[in-house]
Amino acid sequence: MTNAKKRVVIVGAGFAGLSAAKAFKGVDVQVTLIDRRNYHLFQPLLYQVATAALSPAQIAQPIRGILRKYPNCSVNLADVTGVDKARRVVITSDGDVPYDYLVIATGSTHTYFGKDSWSRFAPGLKSIEDATSIRQRILSAFERAEASDNPAEQKSFMTFIVVGGGPTGVEMAGAISELARHTLKDDFRKIDPLQTRVILAEAGNRVLNGFPEKLSHRAEKDLRKLGVEIVTGHPVADCNEDGVTMNDTVIPAKTVIWAAGVKASPAAEWLQAEKDRAGRVIVNTDMSVPGHNDIFVLGDTASLQLPDGRFVPGLAQPAMQQGRYVAKLIAHRISDTSAPGPFIYKHYGMMATIGRGAAIVDFGKFTMDGFITWVMWGVIHLLPLIGFRNRFVVMCDWLWSYFTHERGVRLITVAQSQKD
């Protein structure tokens, strides 16, 4: 048994987990990748599925297909329910999976800050199911407005509130406004989609608070050009089937989308590890769990403070860097060679798109905005898509949409009430 290959178990096929699995290519280990879904999802473009610009298949790829050329990696489709550190096994819906090294990269989900009952009326956007449900809600709202003869009811169906002024909220609000004012403007007979009201609600004093202030102001300017109303400085006090309450004012709206915050997966509970307020596991500088140098936590599930006091952001780029780093670290430990030092996050910039032809980017030392930045945003988001076909089809859809304002996935696929 001394010559048996070390078993590396990776939980989660997001950016961090998949990067780690691929980085083990050629390493003398047996890798098992566990995920509840059989596909890897490119989450940064999920809002485009929700707003009928792209189909789910264009931003998702089967995990087994991605790892086809990685013979030392197998895939288990299962739900993880816990970790037994004493026995060194991952507990899943299909039984226990033993490990020598464990990598947990299970991401995050949306949080309602203790108001979980709001989730029924204000869905978040973290999965393909979320995106297609939101798409259904948005398109159904226009259909129900067209079917109504009550002006007040029509107005509430044509009012969309996006809660949260981060990148997801900004991109979602801009996309809904463009959908209403350009794609749908000639499709109805009783209602005028140009009268659609899109409200972006942010509890802080400005949108895109993680970006420099001048880029935040540029984003607000571009959003207002699209017709988006921006409400800042007032958190949502209530949310129900009739709309939201902010600053003691009730805003009637049948479609509310939640983009206000995230919480980590239950990995901290599985590991009985120390966590931060968002539920992220507080890790060592080598991404390991304190007291357990055989367990690593990555991506949105991990909380790592940098030497300058900042925390590694929950973005795709640092998650992929962490995946490659941990794979290298484990490979060195197995071969008894000098392991790399602490994880160092290389910041390549943050981007957000506001709408057609408008985007912002913060490279740290300098910033950019405008049309050229939007083109750059498109190229940067095309390259990580897995498979030439996906890149080509998405590029063609974007070009078609840019020149025609058309969106080709305006399908209501679920017969569901707006109240559900």
Side-chain angles (χ1 to χ4, degrees):
M1 293 301 291
T2 56
N3 294 323
K5 290 184 178 182
K6 294 294 184 181
R7 299 163 297 187
V8 178
V9 174
I10 301 172
V11 182
F15 290 111
L18 195 60
S19 293
K22 293 168 74 174
F24 278 113
K25 186 176 184 180
V27 180
D28 190 27
V29 295
Q30 178 57 51
V31 180
T32 302
L33 179 61
I34 306 174
D35 200 286
R36 67 174 63 181
R37 295 182 174 89
N38 76 329
Y39 56 84
H40 167 74
L41 176 65
F42 190 72
Q43 281 196 347
L45 294 181
L46 201 54
Y47 81 96
Q48 295 207 3
V49 175
T51 53
L54 298 176
S55 74
Q58 291 170 326
I59 64 168
Q61 191 78 0
I63 301 168
R64 294 186 185 277
I66 297 170
L67 298 175
R68 183 180 294 129
K69 297 181 180 180
Y70 297 79
N72 65 338
C73 184
S74 60
V75 179
N76 282 13
L77 194 64
D79 276 307
V80 172
T81 58
V83 174
D84 189 326
K85 294 179 292 185
R87 294 193 296 128
R88 301 180 84 181
V89 298
V90 178
I91 304 168
T92 80
S93 55
D94 285 342
D96 294 347
V97 181
Y99 67 84
D100 294 300
Y101 292 94
L102 173 61
V103 179
I104 297 180
T106 42
S108 60
T109 185
H110 27 267
T111 179
Y112 294 87
F113 307 107
K115 303 288 187 179
D116 291 346
S117 61
W118 294 358
S119 63
R120 180 186 175 193
F121 313 110
L125 184 61
K126 280 292 181 181
S127 67
I128 284 178
E129 292 83 1
D130 293 335
T132 53
S133 176
I134 289 172
R135 183 184 70 190
Q136 178 269 330
R137 286 173 179 255
I138 293 171
L139 296 176
S140 292
F142 288 102
E143 296 295 340
R144 298 185 70 175
E146 175 82 354
S148 176
D149 293 318
N150 184 324
E153 188 176 55
Q154 286 181 335
K155 186 176 180 179
S156 68
F157 277 121
M158 294 174 64
T159 299
F160 300 85
I161 300 176
V162 180
V163 181
T168 299
V170 166
E171 291 168 346
M172 178 65 74
I176 294 173
S177 188
E178 286 188 324
L179 173 68
R181 298 171 193 280
H182 297 290
T183 306
L184 302 179
K185 66 183 179 67
D186 297 320
D187 285 9
F188 296 92
R189 300 296 174 262
K190 290 170 59 178
I191 61 171
D192 180 7
L194 293 177
Q195 301 303 313
T196 297
R197 189 182 182 193
V198 180
I199 301 170
L200 178 60
E202 165 57 38
N205 59 3
R206 61 185 176 93
V207 302
L208 297 176
N209 194 46
F211 286 76
E213 192 169 350
K214 69 175 183 177
L215 289 182
S216 174
H217 293 326
R218 174 58 193 262
E220 290 185 5
K221 180 180 178 182
D222 289 335
L223 285 169
R224 290 192 173 98
K225 283 183 180 179
L226 290 172
V228 176
E229 300 176 37
I230 301 172
V231 179
T232 59
H234 300 292
V236 172
D238 191 24
C239 178
N240 55 44
E241 62 186 12
D242 296 318
V244 303
T245 302
M246 291 185 297
N247 195 26
D248 297 326
T249 301
V250 177
I251 304 176
K254 294 296 185 182
T255 305
V256 181
I257 299 167
W258 193 264
V262 296
K263 65 178 179 181
S265 72
E269 281 71 36
W270 298 343
L271 300 172
Q272 296 180 327
E274 185 180 0
K275 60 184 178 179
D276 66 7
R277 294 178 61 184
R280 298 174 298 182
V281 177
I282 298 174
V283 296
N284 296 322
T285 56
D286 64 353
M287 307 306 302
S288 66
V289 176
H292 297 276
N293 61 7
D294 58 340
I295 302 176
F296 302 86
V297 180
L298 315 180
D300 290 351
T301 320
S303 175
L304 175 62
Q305 189 169 20
L306 299 170
D308 62 4
R310 296 180 299 119
F311 287 85
V312 176
L315 303 172
Q317 188 55 237
M320 291 188 288
Q321 291 179 28
Q322 289 170 357
R324 293 189 291 266
Y325 166 83
V326 165
K328 182 179 179 181
L329 178 66
I330 293 173
H332 278 284
R333 287 186 180 176
I334 291 173
S335 61
D336 289 326
T337 57
S338 178
F343 171 73
I344 299 175
Y345 168 48
K346 296 179 181 178
H347 178 66
Y348 296 117
M350 296 190 300
M351 307 188 79
T353 179
I354 291 89
R356 181 175 178 267
I360 60 173
V361 59
D362 173 24
F363 287 116
K365 295 183 178 179
F366 68 97
T367 61
M368 293 176 60
D369 58 64
F371 179 79
I372 297 300
T373 307
W374 179 75
V375 174
M376 184 188 305
W377 176 93
V379 172
I380 289 174
H381 282 73
L382 272 177
L383 293 177
L385 288 175
I386 296 172
F388 172 78
R389 179 183 179 278
N390 277 356
R391 297 189 195 105
F392 180 76
V393 172
V394 170
M395 181 183 68
C396 290
D397 277 355
W398 281 351
L399 289 173
W400 179 258
S401 178
Y402 179 78
F403 288 109
T404 68
H405 290 289
E406 285 293 327
R407 295 175 182 239
V409 201
R410 303 201 311 270
L411 307 178
I412 300 174
T413 56
V414 181
Q416 178 182 357
S417 168
Q418 284 283 331
K419 296 181 181 181
D420 291 344

